């Protein structure tokens, strides 16, 4: 079986008003994430799939992100198979931080990639 190439984009190219879907676990999210991102941990993804489809209901593209790109690649592939417009953010939050993109934390301290 042949799969289409996974759509990817580098962190520096994600639009500022993009719908970022963060599939990391809660502890990673608390340490640092993209402000305004939709947080649906991969471990809860199937149960919370409705939240994702609701967020992209208007045809918005989902920019899927994890720590380095492995989990988000799996989620992106699933979303594309469901007919949704999704791209994997290559390098994930590590690349986001390296590109100097803004991050926020849930603990009041500086945001870090955990």
């Amino acid at each position: 079986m042949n799969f289409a190439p996974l759509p990817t984009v580098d962190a520096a190219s994600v639009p500022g008003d993009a719908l970022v879907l963060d599939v990391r676990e809660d502890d990673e999210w608390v340490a640092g994430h993209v402000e305004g991102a939709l947080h649906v941990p991969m471990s809860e993804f199937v149960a919370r799939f409705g939240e994702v489809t609701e967020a992209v209901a208007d045809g918005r593209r989902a920019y899927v992100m994890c720590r380095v790109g492995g989990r988000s690649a799996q989620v992106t592939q699933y979303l594309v198979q469901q007919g949704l417009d999704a791209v994997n953010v290559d390098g994930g939050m590590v690349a986001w931080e390296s590109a100097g993109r803004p991050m926020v934390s849930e603990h009041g301290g500086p945001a870090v990639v955990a």
Side-chain angles (χ1 to χ4, degrees), residues 59-83:
R60 288 182 78 189
R61 169 173 284 173
Y63 291 83
V64 188
M65 189 175 318
C66 65
R67 187 173 191 280
V68 294
R71 289 170 286 178
S72 57
Q74 294 175 57
V75 171
T76 300
Q77 185 171 19
Y78 178 77
L79 292 172
V80 169
Q81 288 171 345
Q82 305 307 308

Side-chain angles (χ1 to χ4, degrees), residues 3-93:
F3 291 102
L6 186 69
T8 61
V9 65
D10 63 271
S13 299
V14 176
D17 62 348
L19 168 63
V20 174
L21 172 60
D22 191 323
V23 299
R24 296 174 304 145
E25 296 304 315
D26 290 339
D27 60 323
E28 296 172 287
W29 170 263
V30 168
H33 58 270
V34 177
E35 188 169 12
L38 174 60
H39 180 224
V40 181
M42 189 171 170
S43 61
E44 302 172 13
F45 195 78
V46 174
R48 296 177 57 190
F49 184 65
E51 290 176 51
V52 177
T53 57
E54 194 173 295
V56 297
D58 58 359
R60 288 182 78 189
R61 169 173 284 173
Y63 291 83
V64 188
M65 189 175 318
C66 65
R67 187 173 191 280
V68 294
R71 289 170 286 178
S72 57
Q74 294 175 57
V75 171
T76 300
Q77 185 171 19
Y78 178 77
L79 292 172
V80 169
Q81 288 171 345
Q82 305 307 308
L84 299 173
D85 186 2
V87 294
N88 187 38
V89 178
D90 193 31
M93 285 298 297

